[in-house]
Short mmCIF file of all heavy atoms in Angstrom, two decimals:
data_model
loop_
_atom_site.label_atom_id
_atom_site.label_comp_id
_atom_site.label_asym_id
_atom_site.label_seq_id
_atom_site.Cartn_x
_atom_site.Cartn_y
_atom_site.Cartn_z
N GLY A 1404 2.42 35.61 6.18
CA GLY A 1404 3.28 36.10 5.12
C GLY A 1404 2.58 36.76 3.97
O GLY A 1404 1.36 36.73 3.83
N ARG A 1405 3.43 37.35 3.13
CA ARG A 1405 2.96 37.97 1.89
C ARG A 1405 3.94 37.61 0.78
O ARG A 1405 5.08 37.21 1.02
CB ARG A 1405 2.83 39.49 2.03
CG ARG A 1405 4.06 40.39 2.00
CD ARG A 1405 5.25 39.91 2.61
NE ARG A 1405 6.38 40.82 2.74
CZ ARG A 1405 7.57 40.33 2.94
NH1 ARG A 1405 7.80 39.03 2.97
NH2 ARG A 1405 8.60 41.14 3.11
N ILE A 1406 3.46 37.70 -0.44
CA ILE A 1406 4.31 37.51 -1.61
C ILE A 1406 4.22 38.76 -2.47
O ILE A 1406 3.12 39.14 -2.90
CB ILE A 1406 3.88 36.29 -2.46
CG1 ILE A 1406 3.79 35.03 -1.61
CG2 ILE A 1406 4.83 36.09 -3.63
CD1 ILE A 1406 3.22 33.83 -2.36
N HIS A 1407 5.33 39.43 -2.69
CA HIS A 1407 5.39 40.53 -3.64
C HIS A 1407 5.84 39.97 -4.99
O HIS A 1407 6.91 39.37 -5.08
CB HIS A 1407 6.39 41.60 -3.19
CG HIS A 1407 5.91 42.43 -2.05
ND1 HIS A 1407 6.69 43.40 -1.47
CD2 HIS A 1407 4.73 42.47 -1.40
CE1 HIS A 1407 6.02 43.99 -0.49
NE2 HIS A 1407 4.82 43.43 -0.43
N ILE A 1408 5.03 40.15 -5.99
CA ILE A 1408 5.35 39.64 -7.32
C ILE A 1408 6.00 40.75 -8.16
O ILE A 1408 5.36 41.76 -8.44
CB ILE A 1408 4.09 39.13 -8.04
CG1 ILE A 1408 3.40 38.02 -7.23
CG2 ILE A 1408 4.45 38.65 -9.45
CD1 ILE A 1408 4.23 36.78 -7.05
N PRO A 1409 7.26 40.56 -8.59
CA PRO A 1409 7.92 41.59 -9.41
C PRO A 1409 7.53 41.46 -10.88
O PRO A 1409 8.25 40.87 -11.69
CB PRO A 1409 9.41 41.29 -9.18
CG PRO A 1409 9.44 39.80 -8.98
CD PRO A 1409 8.17 39.44 -8.26
N ILE A 1410 6.38 42.01 -11.18
CA ILE A 1410 5.83 41.84 -12.53
C ILE A 1410 5.64 43.18 -13.23
O ILE A 1410 5.19 43.25 -14.36
CB ILE A 1410 4.48 41.07 -12.44
CG1 ILE A 1410 4.13 40.40 -13.76
CG2 ILE A 1410 3.36 41.97 -11.94
CD1 ILE A 1410 2.97 39.42 -13.65
N ALA A 1411 6.01 44.26 -12.53
CA ALA A 1411 5.69 45.61 -13.01
C ALA A 1411 6.95 46.49 -13.10
O ALA A 1411 7.22 47.29 -12.21
CB ALA A 1411 4.67 46.25 -12.07
N PRO A 1412 7.73 46.37 -14.16
CA PRO A 1412 8.97 47.15 -14.26
C PRO A 1412 8.78 48.60 -14.67
O PRO A 1412 9.58 49.47 -14.29
CB PRO A 1412 9.77 46.40 -15.33
CG PRO A 1412 8.72 45.75 -16.19
CD PRO A 1412 7.60 45.37 -15.25
N LYS A 1413 7.74 48.89 -15.45
CA LYS A 1413 7.57 50.26 -15.95
C LYS A 1413 6.96 51.17 -14.90
O LYS A 1413 6.16 50.74 -14.07
CB LYS A 1413 6.66 50.26 -17.19
CG LYS A 1413 7.23 49.53 -18.38
CD LYS A 1413 6.36 49.74 -19.61
CE LYS A 1413 4.99 49.12 -19.42
NZ LYS A 1413 4.11 49.30 -20.60
N CYS A 1414 7.33 52.45 -14.95
CA CYS A 1414 6.74 53.44 -14.05
C CYS A 1414 6.49 54.73 -14.81
O CYS A 1414 7.29 55.14 -15.66
CB CYS A 1414 7.66 53.71 -12.85
SG CYS A 1414 6.83 54.64 -11.53
N ASN A 1415 5.36 55.37 -14.50
CA ASN A 1415 4.96 56.57 -15.24
C ASN A 1415 5.29 57.87 -14.52
O ASN A 1415 4.91 58.95 -14.99
CB ASN A 1415 3.46 56.51 -15.55
CG ASN A 1415 2.64 56.03 -14.37
OD1 ASN A 1415 3.08 56.09 -13.22
ND2 ASN A 1415 1.44 55.53 -14.65
N ILE A 1416 5.95 57.79 -13.38
CA ILE A 1416 6.45 59.01 -12.74
C ILE A 1416 7.87 58.78 -12.28
O ILE A 1416 8.30 57.63 -12.09
CB ILE A 1416 5.57 59.49 -11.56
CG1 ILE A 1416 5.77 58.61 -10.33
CG2 ILE A 1416 4.10 59.54 -11.94
CD1 ILE A 1416 5.04 59.15 -9.11
N GLN A 1417 8.61 59.86 -12.10
CA GLN A 1417 9.95 59.77 -11.54
C GLN A 1417 9.98 60.57 -10.25
O GLN A 1417 9.91 61.80 -10.28
CB GLN A 1417 11.01 60.30 -12.50
CG GLN A 1417 12.43 60.27 -11.95
CD GLN A 1417 12.87 58.87 -11.54
OE1 GLN A 1417 12.89 57.95 -12.36
NE2 GLN A 1417 13.23 58.68 -10.27
N CYS A 1418 10.03 59.86 -9.14
CA CYS A 1418 10.16 60.51 -7.83
C CYS A 1418 11.62 60.85 -7.60
O CYS A 1418 12.52 60.10 -7.98
CB CYS A 1418 9.67 59.60 -6.72
SG CYS A 1418 7.95 59.10 -6.87
N GLY A 1419 11.85 61.96 -6.92
CA GLY A 1419 13.22 62.40 -6.68
C GLY A 1419 14.02 61.49 -5.79
O GLY A 1419 15.25 61.54 -5.79
N PHE A 1420 13.34 60.62 -5.03
CA PHE A 1420 14.04 59.73 -4.11
C PHE A 1420 14.10 58.29 -4.61
O PHE A 1420 14.58 57.40 -3.90
CB PHE A 1420 13.37 59.72 -2.73
CG PHE A 1420 11.90 59.43 -2.76
CD1 PHE A 1420 11.42 58.15 -2.97
CD2 PHE A 1420 10.98 60.45 -2.60
CE1 PHE A 1420 10.07 57.89 -3.03
CE2 PHE A 1420 9.62 60.20 -2.64
CZ PHE A 1420 9.16 58.92 -2.84
N CYS A 1421 13.63 58.04 -5.82
CA CYS A 1421 13.49 56.66 -6.29
C CYS A 1421 14.56 56.30 -7.32
O CYS A 1421 14.81 57.04 -8.27
CB CYS A 1421 12.11 56.46 -6.92
SG CYS A 1421 11.83 54.75 -7.46
N THR A 1422 15.16 55.14 -7.11
CA THR A 1422 16.07 54.54 -8.08
C THR A 1422 15.67 53.07 -8.21
O THR A 1422 15.84 52.29 -7.28
CB THR A 1422 17.54 54.63 -7.62
OG1 THR A 1422 17.87 55.99 -7.40
CG2 THR A 1422 18.47 54.04 -8.66
N ARG A 1423 15.10 52.70 -9.35
CA ARG A 1423 14.66 51.33 -9.56
C ARG A 1423 15.82 50.49 -10.07
O ARG A 1423 16.58 50.95 -10.93
CB ARG A 1423 13.49 51.29 -10.55
CG ARG A 1423 12.25 51.98 -10.04
CD ARG A 1423 11.13 51.95 -11.05
NE ARG A 1423 11.40 52.77 -12.22
CZ ARG A 1423 11.20 54.08 -12.26
NH1 ARG A 1423 10.76 54.72 -11.21
NH2 ARG A 1423 11.45 54.75 -13.37
N LYS A 1424 15.96 49.27 -9.57
CA LYS A 1424 17.07 48.42 -9.96
C LYS A 1424 16.63 46.97 -10.11
O LYS A 1424 15.77 46.50 -9.38
CB LYS A 1424 18.20 48.48 -8.92
CG LYS A 1424 18.96 49.81 -8.91
CD LYS A 1424 20.15 49.75 -7.97
CE LYS A 1424 20.93 51.05 -7.98
NZ LYS A 1424 22.10 51.00 -7.06
N ILE A 1425 17.27 46.28 -11.06
CA ILE A 1425 17.08 44.84 -11.26
C ILE A 1425 18.42 44.16 -10.96
O ILE A 1425 19.48 44.74 -11.18
CB ILE A 1425 16.64 44.53 -12.71
CG1 ILE A 1425 15.41 45.36 -13.09
CG2 ILE A 1425 16.38 43.04 -12.90
CD1 ILE A 1425 14.17 45.02 -12.30
N THR A 1426 18.35 42.89 -10.49
CA THR A 1426 19.53 42.11 -10.10
C THR A 1426 20.42 42.89 -9.14
O THR A 1426 21.61 43.05 -9.35
CB THR A 1426 20.36 41.65 -11.33
OG1 THR A 1426 20.92 42.77 -12.00
CG2 THR A 1426 19.49 40.87 -12.28
N ASP A 1427 19.82 43.40 -8.11
CA ASP A 1427 20.54 44.17 -7.10
C ASP A 1427 20.16 43.65 -5.72
O ASP A 1427 19.05 43.19 -5.52
CB ASP A 1427 20.18 45.66 -7.21
CG ASP A 1427 21.16 46.54 -6.47
OD1 ASP A 1427 21.07 46.58 -5.24
OD2 ASP A 1427 21.99 47.18 -7.12
N LYS A 1428 21.07 43.73 -4.76
CA LYS A 1428 20.81 43.14 -3.45
C LYS A 1428 20.41 44.15 -2.39
O LYS A 1428 20.39 43.84 -1.21
CB LYS A 1428 22.06 42.36 -2.99
CG LYS A 1428 22.32 41.15 -3.87
CD LYS A 1428 23.44 40.29 -3.32
CE LYS A 1428 23.64 39.07 -4.21
NZ LYS A 1428 24.70 38.18 -3.68
N GLU A 1429 20.07 45.35 -2.78
CA GLU A 1429 19.61 46.34 -1.79
C GLU A 1429 18.26 45.92 -1.23
O GLU A 1429 17.39 45.44 -1.96
CB GLU A 1429 19.49 47.72 -2.43
CG GLU A 1429 20.80 48.33 -2.86
CD GLU A 1429 20.58 49.67 -3.53
OE1 GLU A 1429 20.10 50.60 -2.85
OE2 GLU A 1429 20.87 49.79 -4.73
#
């Protein structure tokens, strides 16, 4: 297994295919 730690909310680029979400079940 692996553990992804959600500790990094900020992003310095906007990709055309990216939509970041919190409290979402996607």
